[in-house]
Amino acid sequence: QVQLVESGGGLVQPGGSLRLSCTASGIISSIYSMGWYRQAPGKQRELVAMFTGGGSTIFADSVKDRFTISRNAKNTVYLQMNSLKPEDTAVYSCKYRNPNTNYDVWGQGTQVTVSS
């Protein structure tokens, strides 16, 4: 029903920047939430940043001063990551949710590695 395509991951030096993109296609609900999660080796998956179904934004405390999230009319969500740290290294996954049905779709995940 909904498909997600992610892009923008890669290798970056500490202090550098990356921009992740996630585009949803298919049958998109008029109300939906969409955002980014990450999971580092040995750690649980955590919310990084997202738009709620009501249009509010949520950020993890560890990234709120460094990352920004934005979206456009093409059902694309962007995560701008600045001042990257080695501890930001993780697999980043986009998630779409229809809050009316709790229908979730996860992207395939994109690796972000912060290392010198």
Side-chain angles (χ1 to χ4, degrees), residues 85-96:
K85 304 174 181 179
E87 48 263 48
D88 294 318
T89 296
V91 175
Y92 286 69
S93 299
C94 181
K95 190 188 81 172
Y96 163 98

Side-chain angles (χ1 to χ4, degrees), residues 21-113:
S21 299
C22 178
T23 299
S25 62
I27 304 175
I28 307 300
S29 174
S30 59
I31 299 175
Y32 64 92
S33 64
M34 199 161 149
W36 290 91
Y37 293 72
R38 69 185 182 187
Q39 186 168 26
K43 295 185 177 181
Q44 299 211 202
R45 185 165 58 193
E46 65 174 346
L47 173 69
V48 179
M50 68 175 293
F51 286 100
T52 71
S56 301
T57 56
I58 299 174
F59 293 89
D61 287 341
S62 60
V63 308
K64 66 185 302 181
D65 295 327
R66 300 182 293 120
F67 294 6
T68 59
I69 189 168
S70 60
R71 63 182 175 184
N72 63 22
K74 298 181 179 180
N75 299 315
T76 298
V77 172
Y78 305 94
L79 182 67
Q80 179 66 46
M81 305 185 294
N82 300 317
S83 301
L84 283 162
K85 304 174 181 179
E87 48 263 48
D88 294 318
T89 296
V91 175
Y92 286 69
S93 299
C94 181
K95 190 188 81 172
Y96 163 98
R97 168 172 287 186
N98 180 341
N100 294 321
T101 61
N102 286 340
Y103 167 67
D104 288 349
V105 178
W106 289 89
Q108 79 280 0
T110 183
Q111 177 71 45
V112 172
T113 301

